[in-house]
Amino acid sequence: MPYQNLSLDERGGALRITLARPGVLNALSLELLSELRTVLTGPATDDGVRAVLITGAGRAFCAGADLASTSVSGDIGAILEESYHPVVRAIAALPKPVVAGVNGVAAGAGLSLALACDMRLLSDQARFTVAFTGVGLVMDAGCSYFLPRLVGLGRAMELAVSNRRVDAAEALSIGLGDSIIPAANFAEDAFTYSQRLAEGPTLSYALVKRELRASLDNDLEAQLKLESASQSEAAASRDVREGVAAFSPTRRDDGRAANP
Ligand code: T3D
């Protein structure tokens, strides 16, 4: 299926989704959001896809809502529910790691999109600005849920009212990013990073994603229950049999095997 606002490529079980409106810093038109939702609830759910990378074409990750095509005087609540929330929910629901490859600036709902992902891999040219209050709006598309959980309440408030630009080094130090790689070969290196995730134990990663996301809201008792249930599921999988067998004395080739 052809997409007008995204490009897709797949390698070694990793699906790369590139937001492709570089002339407007990959700003989110309703068409782009609709295509993103289609991919996240379609091709990205295929069993052969074991990791997803979302990144941006050109010098930006995403500048947020397309302010040139969006009317902020209409029923924004309905627009959010119809166009933005399905994307945020689809990322949460995918049972595989979804990485934001933040190649450049992420602003407003572009920041929200990066925060909705499971991890944020930053180019050394990445920068963030909350931006919403700069145009008289408030955080949306999950920003007010994820941001304080990642950076703390006070810092989230400070970022939201100042709209100052946070560079990659600061983003890493406050928990907005998880690692930084050089911009020079970012598109390729971020794809390789996602491919490595795709080679890992997919069920294990899916269950860890479920545990971590649930921990944002669960109390200790609920989380302990979820860990037990998740561990039982993981323990029944082929990945765990292979992983544990690698430590079995009968498989050792260093001459120290216990049971000849
Ligand atoms: O109804 C709804 O959908 C409401 C939902 C709202 C959610 C939101 O996301 S609200 C927040 C929206 N985003 C912003 O307010 C950010 C606006 N952009 C900026 O502040 C700056 O562009 C950046 C900090 C992101 C980058 O600055 P810089 O100096 O690197 O680039 P620039 O020169 O400002 O922008 C380059 C071009 O992209 C420029 O077009 P031109 O002059 O080259 O033809 C600029 O107009 C365009 N652009 C940047 N951001 C947007 C945009 N076009 C449309 N929408 C944008 N958000």
Side-chain angles (χ1 to χ4, degrees), residues 158-176:
E158 184 268 318
L159 294 173
V161 298
S162 69
N163 297 312
R164 69 183 174 82
R165 297 190 190 184
V166 173
D167 67 15
E170 183 185 359
L172 187 68
S173 76
I174 64 176
L176 262 184

Side-chain angles (χ1 to χ4, degrees), residues 237-256:
S237 72
R238 210 179 83 181
D239 283 336
V240 84
R241 286 195 295 278
E242 286 173 0
V244 172
F247 290 91
S248 159
T250 55
R251 295 274 300 267
R252 297 179 79 133
D253 57 3
D254 60 1
R256 292 190 287 128

Side-chain angles (χ1 to χ4, degrees), residues 12-235:
L15 175 67
R16 178 169 62 184
I17 305 171
T18 305
L19 312 179
R21 304 186 71 220
V24 286
L25 308 186
N26 304 315
L28 301 167
S29 59
L30 297 184
E31 294 75 19
L32 187 157
L33 288 164
S34 166
E35 291 180 6
L36 190 52
R37 172 194 195 162
T38 300
V39 173
L40 291 169
T41 56
T45 65
D46 289 352
D47 285 345
V49 171
R50 296 182 301 278
V52 174
L53 170 68
I54 302 177
T55 191
R59 70 180 176 89
F61 175 72
C62 175
D66 185 339
L67 297 173
S69 70
T70 303
S71 161
V72 287
S73 58
D75 185 354
I76 294 186
I79 292 172
L80 290 170
E81 188 51 32
E82 279 164 28
S83 299
Y84 289 79
H85 297 177
V87 168
V88 177
R89 292 191 186 108
I91 292 170
L94 274 177
K96 55 196 81 173
V98 180
V99 178
V102 186
N103 52 304
V105 70
L111 167 66
S112 307
L113 178 61
L115 299 182
C117 293
D118 299 311
M119 286 179 265
R120 281 146 295 281
L121 179 63
L122 311 185
S123 134
D124 55 21
Q125 295 303 306
R127 49 200 168 102
F128 297 89
T129 170
V130 176
F132 295 101
T133 62
V135 289
L137 292 172
V138 300
M139 293 183 187
D140 66 18
C143 191
S144 67
Y145 179 82
F146 293 113
L147 188 65
R149 285 168 168 81
L150 286 169
V151 305
L153 266 184
R155 201 179 318 253
M157 186 72 185
E158 184 268 318
L159 294 173
V161 298
S162 69
N163 297 312
R164 69 183 174 82
R165 297 190 190 184
V166 173
D167 67 15
E170 183 185 359
L172 187 68
S173 76
I174 64 176
L176 262 184
D178 305 307
S179 48
I180 302 181
I181 57 179
N185 205 27
F186 184 79
E188 180 59 25
D189 292 345
F191 207 2
T192 303
Y193 177 95
S194 310
Q195 235 181 297
R196 272 195 229 110
L197 288 174
E199 288 161 6
T202 308
L203 177 65
S204 193
Y205 290 171
L207 295 172
V208 164
K209 173 169 176 168
R210 187 176 75 181
E211 285 181 331
L212 291 176
R213 292 214 171 224
S215 80
L216 298 176
D217 306 307
N218 273 348
D219 63 18
L220 177 62
E221 279 311 311
Q223 196 64 18
L224 289 174
K225 280 200 186 80
L226 179 63
E227 285 185 358
S228 303
S230 303
Q231 199 65 295
S232 300
E233 267 187 73

